[in-house]
Amino acid sequence: MKKKVKIRTWIQLAMFIFVAIIAVNHTLVESGKGIPFLSRASLHAVCPFGGVVSLYNIITDGTFVKKIHESSMVLMYIVFVSSLFLGPLFCGWICPMGTFQEWTGIIGKKIFKQKYNRFIPYSIDKYLRWLRYGILVWILYMTAVTGKLIFQDFDPYYTLFQFWTGEVAISGFIALGLVIILSLFVERPFCKYACPYGAVLGIFNLFRIIPLRRNSDTCIDCKLCDRVCPMNITVSKAGKVRNHQCISCFECTSDDGVCPVPGTMEFRTNSYKASPLGSEKVTK
Amino acid sequence: MRIKANVAATVLPVLFIVGIFLSSAVGYWKTESSKNSTKFTTGIFEGEADPADIRGSYSFSDLEKAFDIPVATLAKAFGFSSSENPEGIKLKEFEERYGIIGDFEIGTSSMKLFTALYKGLPYEPEDDTGIPQPAWNILNKEGATEKETLETYSERVVSLEGLEVSTKTAEHTEKSEETIIKGKTLFSDLLNWGLSKEQIDDALGMSMEAPGDSVRDFCSENGIGFSTVKTPLQKLLDNM
C-alpha cells in the first residue's frame, strides 16, 4: 500500500529539486555564470501566487507587480484549472514549501509518535485555520496599494530558496525558523495557518468537480483516515469532504492511501449508490 | 469518474508542460521583463511609449524596438563605436562608463531625456541629468523637439571628449575605487564604507530595505532617481 503513495513523494522530490535548481541558476545568471540550457527565470517568475497578487494591477492599469511576469499568470491559470477539478492538488503534490514541512515533520513524528500533529486543541485550532485568509486579504491589499511584492519579506518559501542571495529580510528568516520549529509539532503549519496561496486554492474545495467521497455503507469507522490526514480533517464523519483545508494528498484513500476497505474513500464525481444491505458494514 | 493517485500525479505536470508550451507558442510565456515601456494612456501622446519607464536593463536593441530609434543613432549619441556591438549594450552600463561628469550624470536618465527629446515626448528629467554632446548634436539635427524647447536643455550638455579616460583616472587617483558608487553598489557596501543607515535613509527619503539590495535596483523599484540618491551619498563618502 505504501508503494502506491510513494508516487507523491517522487513528484514532490522532483519539484523541490526543480525549484531549487531554478533558484540557484538565477543567482548564477546574475553573476554571469548561468548553466546553459536552463531557464534564467527567477523564483518569482515560476510562482503561480505572483499571478494572484498581480490581478488587481493587471485589471486596473494593465501592468504586473514588480518582479512578476506573464509566466506567473500562466501558472496561476493552470493551477486554477487543476483545482477546479481536483482541489488544491498543487499544495499536496507540487509546492516545495509543503514538501519541506513534510520532511521536517518526519523528525517530529519520530519524536512525538502518535501525539504528533495533535498538540493544538480543536477549540483553538478551528479559529486559527481562518488566519490564512486574513493574511491573504492583507497581502492582496498591500500589494495592490504599493505595486510591490509585499509578502516577500515574510515569505518562508522565498527565504528557503533565496537564503544565500543576501536579498532576504530578517523577517523572512524568522518566518522560516518558526515554520521549521512548528513543523516538529504540527504537520504543515504554514499551510494550515498562514499560506495565502493555500487559502486561495482551499476555496476550490467548496465546489471542486471531483471531491473526496466516503462510502458510509462500507466504511468500518476505523478512523485511519482521520489519523493520517496532515490537515487534521475529520474525514470519517463526512460523506463528501468539502473542507477548505483539504490538499488532495490521497493519503486517506482506499486505492492509494490508508483506507483498508476498497471503494470506500475515493476522489470521484458521482455519489456512492446506497447499498441494498442498508447500513450493514463490511468487516475488516 | 474516479481518480487515482497515479492520475493525480500526472495532471499538474502535464498541464504545466502543455500550458507552458502553448503560451510559449503564442508568445505569452515570459519569465523576464518584456522591455516594453508603459504607454501614455491619456492626452495627445496616448498609445506612445513613455520614456520615463525606460530601465537600466534595456539594451539599445530594446530601445530601438520600443521607440523606433535606430541602434546606430543611440550608439552614436552616447559615444559608443560600432565595434562595441552596440545592440547588446545596456543602459546601466552608462553609469560605470561615464557616471558623474561635472555637475551632471550620464546614466539611464540621460537616455530617457534623449529619447523624449528625439521623439518629441514629454519627460521631466532630474536636476542632474546630463546630455552627451554627440546626443545633443543629433537632437539638433534630427530630433522632433522644437529648437526653442531644446535650447532650454542646453546647459545640461556635457562633452565626452577625453572624459572616458581622464574623469575616471582622476577619480581613481583621488579615492579608492571601492568607495565609488556604481550601478552594482549594494547598501551593505555603503554601510561597510562607513555610512550610517540614517544617512542612507535620508538620501533615499525612505528606509532602505535588505542590505543585500543594490542601491540602483532599490531606486528603480521605488521610483526614485538613482542619480538623486547617488550624488549626496557620494558626497558623504568623499568627505569621509
Side-chain angles (χ1 to χ4, degrees):
Chain A
M1 191 171 294
K2 293 235 171 189
K3 268 187 182 173
K4 290 179 182 172
V5 181
K6 232 180 176 179
I7 190 167
R8 189 169 78 95
T9 308
W10 283 114
I11 297 284
Q12 287 180 297
L13 180 64
M15 290 309 299
F16 189 94
I17 292 171
F18 174 74
V19 171
I21 290 173
I22 290 281
V24 170
N25 191 53
H26 185 69
T27 306
L28 292 174
V29 165
E30 290 202 319
S31 59
K33 300 170 192 162
I35 303 166
F37 311 116
L38 273 182
S39 171
R40 298 161 52 92
S42 68
L43 198 61
H44 297 302
V46 295
C47 178
F49 188 55
V52 177
V53 296
S54 270
L55 280 175
Y56 177 83
N57 293 58
I58 287 171
I59 292 167
T60 53
D61 64 1
T63 59
F64 290 95
V65 170
K66 285 186 173 69
K67 300 182 182 177
I68 298 299
H69 309 292
E70 287 84 346
S71 53
S72 291
M73 296 301 293
V74 173
L75 296 176
M76 180 195 74
Y77 290 130
I78 290 170
V79 175
F80 278 180
V81 168
S82 74
S83 299
L84 185 62
F85 286 89
L86 280 162
L89 207 57
F90 179 85
C91 302
W93 292 71
I94 304 292
C95 177
M97 192 63 214
T99 303
F100 178 74
Q101 290 171 91
E102 283 189 17
W103 289 345
T104 311
I106 292 170
I107 302 168
K109 283 175 186 170
K110 286 195 186 303
I111 298 170
F112 300 111
K113 303 209 164 33
Q114 294 293 319
K115 208 164 181 331
Y116 179 73
N117 205 23
R118 297 279 183 276
F119 286 100
I120 303 178
Y122 176 71
S123 57
I124 298 170
D125 183 71
K126 68 180 176 185
Y127 294 114
L128 289 177
R129 297 296 178 111
W130 297 99
L131 188 62
R132 62 182 188 167
Y133 290 96
I135 292 171
L136 172 66
V137 170
W138 174 73
I139 290 168
L140 292 180
Y141 174 75
M142 291 301 293
T143 308
V145 169
T146 63
K148 290 174 64 181
L149 286 176
I150 206 75
F151 190 51
Q152 177 180 303
D153 287 349
F154 307 94
D155 187 355
Y157 167 70
Y158 181 76
T159 307
L160 182 63
F161 288 101
Q162 295 286 287
F163 66 85
W164 60 85
T165 60
E167 295 179 1
V168 178
I170 188 72
S171 48
F173 283 107
I174 293 170
L176 180 61
L178 273 173
V179 169
I180 291 171
I181 293 167
L182 287 172
S183 293
L184 296 173
F185 301 89
V186 180
E187 190 143 19
R188 286 180 171 253
F190 181 67
C191 309
K192 282 174 181 164
Y193 308 118
C195 180
Y197 195 43
V200 174
L201 299 184
I203 295 169
F204 284 89
N205 276 316
L206 307 180
F207 51 84
R208 56 193 286 178
I209 294 169
I210 310 173
L212 175 65
R213 293 179 189 271
R214 183 181 70 95
N215 187 346
S216 55
D217 284 343
T218 56
C219 176
I220 58 172
D221 292 327
C222 64
K223 314 273 191 220
L224 278 175
C225 49
D226 295 346
R227 282 204 284 275
V228 79
C229 180
M231 305 303 280
N232 303 91
I233 298 168
T234 311
V235 184
S236 64
K237 288 182 181 167
K240 182 166 58 177
V241 175
R242 288 290 188 197
N243 192 299
H244 68 97
Q245 292 254 329
C246 177
I247 56 169
S248 302
C249 64
F250 284 69
E251 295 289 344
C252 61
T253 60
S254 302
D255 290 324
D256 308 287
V258 296
C259 181
V261 187
T264 296
M265 195 68 76
E266 295 169 317
F267 285 96
R268 54 188 293 158
T269 49
N270 50 330
S271 305
Y272 290 105
K273 287 177 184 165
S275 163
L277 299 174
S279 60
E280 189 177 330
K281 306 285 184 186
V282 178
T283 52
K284 207 171 183 179
Chain B
M1 185 169 62
R2 201 176 68 179
I3 299 292
K4 290 188 176 184
N6 54 359
V7 175
T10 56
V11 166
L12 264 173
V14 168
L15 279 177
F16 281 144
I17 291 167
V18 171
I20 292 168
F21 177 79
L22 290 177
S23 58
S24 298
V26 299
Y28 188 74
W29 178 261
K30 292 189 181 88
T31 59
E32 294 178 308
S33 172
S34 63
K35 310 288 191 273
N36 290 325
S37 295
T38 54
K39 297 186 186 309
F40 292 105
T41 54
T42 55
I44 58 171
F45 300 106
E46 184 176 349
E48 298 268 4
D50 184 355
D53 197 44
I54 292 173
R55 299 170 198 194
S57 59
Y58 283 24
S59 65
F60 282 177
S61 184
D62 297 327
L63 277 173
E64 184 181 66
K65 286 176 196 158
F67 291 92
D68 196 27
I69 306 174
V71 167
T73 302
L74 296 169
K76 189 178 173 187
F78 284 81
F80 289 84
S81 68
S82 56
S83 63
E84 292 180 88
N85 184 25
E87 287 84 2
I89 290 170
K90 294 190 172 179
L91 307 190
K92 58 188 174 188
E93 294 173 29
F94 289 0
E95 280 152 10
E96 283 196 49
R97 183 177 173 113
Y98 300 123
I100 296 169
I101 302 173
D103 293 332
F104 295 100
E105 182 190 31
I106 301 299
T108 304
S109 57
S110 302
M111 182 57 88
K112 292 179 183 180
L113 180 56
F114 172 76
T115 304
L117 296 173
Y118 188 88
K119 301 294 289 186
L121 298 169
Y123 172 66
E124 192 65 41
E126 291 152 18
D127 291 342
D128 64 348
T129 300
I131 305 173
Q133 182 69 53
W136 181 253
N137 297 341
I138 290 172
L139 289 172
N140 274 292
K141 195 176 170 187
E142 54 190 87
T145 303
E146 290 178 3
K147 294 281 183 244
E148 280 183 16
T149 309
L150 195 58
E151 203 54 41
T152 61
Y153 295 94
S154 60
E155 62 185 27
R156 295 171 180 267
V157 178
V158 291
S159 173
L160 300 183
E161 289 292 322
L163 277 170
E164 191 181 343
V165 176
S166 60
T167 303
K168 284 188 174 178
T169 306
E171 283 175 356
H172 285 205
T173 53
E174 286 170 13
K175 57 192 172 229
S176 162
E177 188 178 0
E178 282 76 38
T179 58
I180 298 171
I181 300 174
K182 297 177 181 175
K184 292 174 185 170
T185 303
L186 309 176
F187 285 123
S188 57
D189 294 330
L190 299 179
L191 294 168
N192 290 336
W193 295 342
L195 291 185
S196 68
K197 183 178 181 303
E198 287 71 28
Q199 287 174 311
I200 298 170
D201 289 349
D202 281 348
L204 291 170
M206 61 192 298
S207 180
M208 59 171 264
E209 293 182 356
D213 284 352
S214 90
V215 182
R216 191 190 58 212
D217 288 350
F218 180 88
C219 291
S220 169
E221 286 176 10
N222 289 282
I224 306 169
F226 176 52
S227 55
T228 62
V229 172
K230 179 180 171 182
T231 307
L233 288 175
Q234 188 64 61
K235 279 180 184 167
L236 287 169
L237 287 168
D238 293 345
N239 292 333
M240 290 179 75

